[in-house]
Amino acid sequence: MKKALLLLFGLILSTVNAQNKESCNCCSAVQKAFDFWIGDWVVTNQGDGTLAGYSKIRGEEKGCVVKENWTSAKPGYTGTSLNFYNQATKEWEQLWVDNSGAFLKLRGNKEENKMVLSSKEFEREGKTYRNRITWFDNEDGTVRQLWEVLEGDKVVQVAFDGLYKRK
């Protein structure tokens, strides 16, 4: 009887362990590096504090994907980003797609308290640029998102500078 109970207990324990491992495929610190962005947010423009929009960001696919759903304060503009850690390249990747058909692909990693992702270079009017977006994990629980356009290492435009505050 004791052997049967021990065997049953062992089977239950091994099943629970297997389920725990299965339910957390992306649990390493590097794979959780963007979790600071998860939440329901009101986003304001850094410069003047006006409302930029709303963002719902969720951990999905058993924690392997950080998905953003953006709704602009300007009626009719929405977008979605999928963010994940690519184990093959050892980099975070983002694919942004909006309801105008525009898209943006970014890659990079967390550096101290910020996630820094950049696009490949692209040409416009004979010049070469790239996008760089940085998310700052602020001590007060807010997140700053700074989208810069660079020519070489020089910032030539700030496309967006927003502050995410939890709802």
Side-chain angles (χ1 to χ4, degrees):
M1 180 73 161
K2 283 184 180 181
K3 285 183 182 181
L5 285 174
L6 286 173
L7 181 61
L8 180 60
F9 180 72
L11 286 172
I12 291 170
L13 190 57
S14 66
T15 301
V16 168
N17 284 338
Q19 288 174 347
N20 286 341
K21 287 179 184 175
E22 184 179 301
S23 67
C24 193
N25 296 324
C26 300
C27 290
S28 72
V30 71
Q31 292 165 316
K32 295 294 187 190
F34 217 170
D35 282 6
F36 68 88
W37 195 33
I38 293 173
D40 291 333
W41 304 92
V42 175
V43 185
T44 56
N45 291 298
Q46 279 282 90
D48 59 12
T50 59
L51 181 66
Y54 305 92
S55 197
K56 290 185 179 190
I57 300 163
R58 303 283 183 259
E60 297 193 357
E61 303 301 333
K62 295 186 178 182
C64 295
V65 175
V66 175
K67 181 180 180 184
E68 172 192 22
N69 288 304
W70 168 260
T71 303
S72 177
K74 295 178 184 176
Y77 181 71
T78 60
T80 299
S81 72
L82 296 175
N83 305 269
F84 66 97
Y85 183 73
N86 185 328
Q87 293 187 52
T89 63
K90 305 291 187 218
E91 289 183 303
W92 274 87
E93 296 186 22
Q94 180 184 88
L95 173 61
W96 162 266
V97 182
D98 66 28
N99 64 348
S100 74
F103 70 92
L104 184 62
K105 293 180 181 181
L106 305 168
R107 298 170 75 153
N109 278 301
K110 191 167 184 187
E111 301 170 7
E112 297 177 9
N113 72 323
K114 57 190 180 248
M115 181 66 72
V116 182
L117 305 179
S118 299
S119 70
K120 289 184 178 179
E121 291 184 338
F122 61 93
E123 285 194 29
R124 186 182 300 147
E125 299 173 2
K127 295 185 178 182
T128 303
Y129 302 96
R130 68 183 167 91
N131 293 290
R132 178 177 67 198
I133 303 180
T134 305
W135 291 261
F136 297 84
D137 183 7
N138 298 324
E139 287 184 19
D140 65 359
T142 62
V143 174
R144 178 183 180 198
Q145 181 181 343
L146 177 61
W147 179 358
E148 301 165 304
V149 179
L150 295 98
E151 183 179 7
D153 289 331
K154 180 183 174 192
V155 176
V156 295
Q157 179 187 1
V158 173
F160 180 72
D161 191 356
L163 185 65
Y164 287 65
K165 295 179 184 174
R166 293 189 187 277
K167 280 187 171 181

